[in-house]
Amino acid sequence: MTDRDLILLLQSLNPTRIAVLGDFMVDRYVWGDARRVSPEAPVPVVHAQREDHRLGGAGNVVANICELGATAFCLGVVGDDDAGREMLAGLQALGADGAGMVVDKARPTIQKIRIMARNQQMLRVDRETLDPISDAVGNKLIQQLKQSKWQTLVLSDYGKGSLPESVLRQALDEAKRRGFPSLVDPKRHDVARYRGAALITPNRSEAEAACGESLGNMQKLSVGGEALRKQAGVEALLITLG
């Protein structure tokens, strides 16, 4: 089966409404050329020529869901800033439902700004607040989750504060109450915090960090993955090799 065959198969499935809760961010790229070194410091000077942005984090998950023909219901936090408005406009352009997004004036929209020259990343600047979201904002997200219709829950946890323990537990409990699967893309080493999820999908390095050992071949991946699944208390665990 080719990748195209798989995409067509997935798109032929019955339409599903998927709730995506987590860290929404904007990936911004400044493209240019670097031909000289700054006289102020031993760093290259990048002559910026163009700039673009893409949906990152949970926003990228939403983009993939929409590409596969499902409907995404977005639950996350953006700031009252230009990047936040770009995020909301981008979700709308995808055809996603952004009614669950909360604007928090106390936090900036998460941005990862990459300076690119000759297709090489020269520098990355992060704009973010890593403190957990407030109880008031968390309650708004959970209220939206409980009041809306969906058949699958995806938690996109980049450790940026949108999924504090209280929000995470209530979201997983709501999926279990409805009898729907909950899928987690974790960036944290403590996988046990996702106990009760149907599936978690760490990549190899994340799984190694959680296990505390190298998983250098398929045998170790199999044994280590099963041990990690039991440790996490989840139904299934998928280790991606990218």
Side-chain angles (χ1 to χ4, degrees):
M1 177 180 288
T2 67
D3 289 348
R4 180 60 183 169
D5 292 333
L6 179 59
I7 290 173
L8 291 174
L9 177 61
L10 291 170
Q11 290 178 336
S12 71
L13 299 176
N14 292 330
T16 302
R17 183 173 166 88
I18 301 175
V20 180
L21 170 60
D23 296 307
F24 285 77
M25 58 189 74
V26 174
D27 285 335
R28 193 176 304 282
Y29 293 82
V30 179
W31 301 87
D33 198 4
R35 296 181 179 274
R36 63 190 181 92
V37 175
S38 170
E40 303 168 353
V43 295
V45 175
V46 176
H47 177 218
Q49 298 168 341
R50 63 184 175 90
E51 181 176 326
D52 59 44
H53 70 272
R54 308 163 192 173
L55 303 188
N60 185 56
V61 175
V62 169
N64 290 332
I65 287 172
C66 292
E67 179 68 20
L68 291 173
T71 300
F73 175 51
C74 310
L75 299 124
V77 182
V78 294
D80 185 14
D81 50 30
D82 289 342
R85 287 180 279 277
E86 289 175 347
M87 170 61 70
L88 297 177
L91 295 174
Q92 184 178 21
L94 289 172
D97 183 350
M101 299 296 291
V102 176
V103 177
D104 186 352
K105 294 183 178 181
R107 300 172 71 91
T109 301
I110 302 170
Q111 292 186 74
K112 296 188 180 300
I113 305 168
R114 296 170 175 86
I115 311 300
M116 310 291 294
R118 299 189 181 184
N119 294 320
Q120 295 288 328
Q121 182 173 318
M122 310 295 290
L123 177 69
R124 195 179 88 180
V125 179
D126 289 356
R127 289 179 177 167
E128 59 190 16
T129 297
L130 298 181
D131 295 332
I133 56 176
S134 67
D135 290 342
V137 171
N139 289 338
K140 286 182 181 180
L141 292 174
I142 292 300
Q143 184 179 23
Q144 292 274 13
L145 184 72
K146 290 182 176 180
Q147 292 178 348
S148 301
K149 293 182 179 180
W150 44 269
Q151 293 80 42
T152 302
L153 173 65
V154 174
L155 301 175
S156 186
D157 188 1
Y158 283 76
K160 305 298 183 182
S162 300
L163 285 172
E165 187 67 24
S166 60
V167 171
L168 179 65
R169 291 263 53 91
Q170 290 184 78
L172 289 172
D173 288 346
E174 181 63 15
K176 184 171 293 186
R177 185 187 71 79
R178 296 189 185 201
F180 292 146
S182 52
L183 318 177
V184 183
D185 181 18
K187 299 300 180 187
R188 298 172 184 262
H189 297 165
D190 180 17
V191 293
R193 77 189 303 263
Y194 309 113
R195 184 172 301 276
L199 170 70
I200 62 174
T201 60
N203 62 30
R204 187 201 296 263
S205 63
E206 291 162 352
E208 289 177 337
C211 289
E213 61 178 300
S214 173
L215 303 175
N217 56 53
M218 296 306 296
Q219 175 65 22
K220 289 184 176 180
L221 279 168
S222 178
V223 173
E226 176 59 15
L228 194 58
R229 186 194 67 78
K230 291 179 179 178
Q231 175 190 334
V234 297
E235 297 177 29
L237 181 141
L238 171 67
I239 300 175
T240 62
L241 301 183

